[in-house]
Amino acid sequence: DLMHETARPRRKLGVMGGTFDPVHHGHLVAASEVAHLFDLDEVIFVPTGQPWQKAGKQVSPAEDRYLMTVIATASNPRFSVSRADIERNKVTYTVDTLREMQSAHPDAELYFITGADALANILTWQDWAELFELAKFVGVSRPGYELNTDHLEEHLRDLPADAVTMIEIPALAISSSECRRRAAQGRPVWYLVPDGVVQYISKRHLYVPAGTEGKA
Ligand code: ATP
Ligand code: MG
């Protein structure tokens, strides 16, 4: 009908979840590449909340991870950062994040962006029916991780062809773990993370063992 013919096309929103401890150029290239290939209007970075401890490891304060993500994305008019997960005071699953993004942007079409390593986990442990109702999934290549979809294949067969798309992106063998390790050892993280993030890490003494802050 006429209403439909004149309606604007649905906004396409990328959602990039992560711990971002710290955010690095691997995250930014992934978001940028998916935004380009899928013609997204915006990519929303969603840092995970604090209570969620990565395999029992210590995670930097949510506010620091949030601010680093803001600093890293500030210059890109299509990138933004959501506080949704850091303000929810409980363990966050991808499905929670997507539900919240959906209700904040009811008319948008959501694309959840994830690296090969994280995608396998999400699809293995969570409720498929709801996940795929909420978003399309875009898995990006990541050096050192083979995307093994063997155990997912029988499920994937039942889904629409565009429910999960795998794409090849420029390979950046950068991880937050390695950035933290380098910072802890006084080695440079320049050019692995945006300049403002290098400066923020040093200003807030992130990742350096307690008591050695002044010595770098
Ligand atoms: P950590 O080493 O602490 O696990 P990380 O580098 O994996 O950190 P996360 O915050 O865990 O970063 O990742 C957020 C998302 O970004 C995940 O979907 C992850 O697969 C993806 N990702 C991270 N680094 C890269 C990279 N170098 N190339 C492609 N995708 C990446
Ligand atoms: Mg990771």
Side-chain angles (χ1 to χ4, degrees):
D1 58 64
L2 193 63
M3 275 300 282
H4 269 94
E5 278 164 16
T6 56
R8 284 184 307 131
R10 290 173 78 193
R11 270 171 65 76
K12 295 166 90 177
L13 292 189
V15 178
M16 175 99 197
T19 312
F20 304 129
D21 191 19
V23 62
H24 56 66
H25 283 126
H27 301 129
L28 297 165
V29 164
S32 166
E33 195 66 7
V34 175
H36 172 72
L37 290 172
F38 289 79
D39 198 22
L40 304 183
D41 295 291
E42 188 180 343
V43 177
I44 306 175
F45 289 69
V46 190
T48 55
Q50 192 53 26
W52 187 71
Q53 296 289 308
K54 273 192 143 175
K57 279 177 268 166
Q58 196 61 45
V59 175
S60 301
E63 209 56 39
D64 286 323
R65 294 182 291 104
Y66 169 76
L67 286 174
M68 288 190 283
T69 310
V70 169
I71 290 165
T73 56
S75 60
N76 188 326
R78 295 199 175 200
F79 286 178
S80 64
V81 187
S82 165
R83 299 182 61 88
D85 280 5
I86 68 175
E87 266 161 23
R88 191 183 307 110
N89 286 312
K90 64 181 186 87
V91 178
T92 297
Y93 296 97
T94 301
V95 72
D96 301 316
T97 308
L98 288 174
R99 267 192 216 127
E100 183 132 354
M101 292 297 120
Q102 180 72 253
S103 67
H105 310 274
D107 299 324
E109 203 177 339
L110 302 182
Y111 290 76
F112 192 80
I113 305 165
T114 160
D117 55 315
L119 182 63
N121 275 323
I122 292 164
L123 298 184
T124 303
W125 296 109
Q126 300 189 39
D127 176 1
W128 280 51
E130 183 165 11
L131 281 178
F132 291 112
E133 244 165 59
L134 289 165
K136 296 183 167 71
F137 283 76
V138 183
V140 303
S141 54
R142 180 172 188 184
Y145 298 90
E146 189 77 48
L147 185 54
N148 187 350
T149 53
D150 287 355
H151 66 296
L152 303 173
E153 219 106 271
E154 59 175 303
H155 299 284
L156 289 172
R157 246 190 285 121
D158 304 330
L159 292 168
D162 63 351
V164 184
T165 311
M166 311 297 177
I167 64 164
E168 197 74 37
I169 64 167
L172 294 180
I174 306 174
S175 70
S176 298
S177 318
E178 177 64 11
C179 292
R180 294 194 297 275
R181 205 157 28 238
R182 294 179 69 94
Q185 296 167 348
R187 292 154 71 204
V189 291
W190 287 108
Y191 315 117
L192 299 175
V193 305
D195 294 358
V197 173
V198 179
Q199 290 160 326
Y200 187 90
I201 290 170
S202 119
K203 165 179 156 179
R204 293 275 297 144
H205 309 298
L206 298 180
Y207 315 126
V208 294
T212 63
E213 288 93 339
K215 295 178 187 155

